[in-house]
Amino acid sequence: MHASDKLAANLQKVLVDLIDLHLQGKQAHWNILGTNFRDLHLQLDEIVDAAREFADDTAERMRALYAVPDGRSATVAASSHLDAFPEGEVATTDAIDLVTLRLYQATGTMRDVHDEVDDEDPTTADLLHGFIERLEQLAWMVSAENRAPRTPLAAATSPATAEASAHS
């Protein structure tokens, strides 16, 4: 099977968001400070590993469909759907919200393209299902750091994070 231009474009959207998620996760990993530093530091490694693995899976799937992935830094910077991560040191409590938002932004892109991907190639849509499942699990786990029992996500995180999770 050869991917249509639309399928290739949809997978390219997923690819750049996953590459950006990996890079932003490392930026957070290097620059967080504060309460529960070590736990968050290690959680960020899990997120980075998942994003990098899923980006590679996406690019390899694109090649299997005779589409050409573009993971160059300029392409990622110009086309990512993720908000930019702030410069400098970041408090762990802020980083939790920042990373959770980006996880939901990445899964939001996957959900946005899913139906068109599924129409053309259900096998590739199955990959997206697995990515969404794992990234949303990681979002839940990292966001729990800022929550207390019976505190809804919307009350424990930034409005942007709560909104992104509702659309994911």
Side-chain angles (χ1 to χ4, degrees), residues 13-168:
K13 290 176 188 177
V14 170
L15 178 63
V16 297
D17 282 5
L18 288 167
I19 293 169
D20 198 18
L21 181 62
H22 159 247
L23 294 171
Q24 290 197 41
K26 280 315 255 185
Q27 181 69 17
H29 175 86
W30 296 321
N31 290 297
I32 57 168
L33 297 169
T35 306
N36 294 327
F37 164 82
R38 182 161 169 69
D39 290 338
L40 182 57
H41 191 75
L42 296 173
Q43 278 185 308
L44 289 166
D45 275 338
E46 287 182 68
I47 293 166
V48 165
D49 290 347
R52 186 172 41 207
E53 177 185 339
F54 297 161
D56 191 53
D57 290 346
T58 301
E60 289 181 359
R61 183 64 186 157
M62 291 175 75
R63 292 304 300 146
L65 298 173
Y66 299 93
V68 179
D70 187 351
R72 296 173 299 155
S73 57
T75 301
V76 173
S79 56
S80 175
H81 300 94
L82 279 57
D83 292 349
F85 200 83
E87 179 180 340
E89 295 177 336
V90 178
T92 52
T93 53
D94 294 337
I96 288 164
D97 287 350
L98 292 166
V99 169
T100 301
L101 173 62
R102 280 139 188 88
L103 285 161
Y104 284 129
Q105 288 173 329
T107 59
T109 297
M110 292 174 201
R111 288 180 180 281
D112 288 346
V113 304
H114 175 272
D115 289 349
E116 290 179 355
V117 170
D118 193 38
D119 287 345
E120 186 169 341
D121 185 24
T123 301
T124 301
D126 286 347
L127 281 177
L128 296 181
H129 294 154
F131 300 166
I132 291 166
E133 178 185 14
R134 179 65 176 140
L135 294 177
E136 287 180 346
Q137 178 188 42
L138 290 167
W140 157 63
M141 291 175 149
V142 75
S143 70
E145 294 280 346
N146 279 352
R147 295 181 63 207
R150 295 189 236 4
T151 304
L153 183 65
T157 61
S158 70
T161 303
E163 182 181 332
S165 70
H167 291 90
S168 183

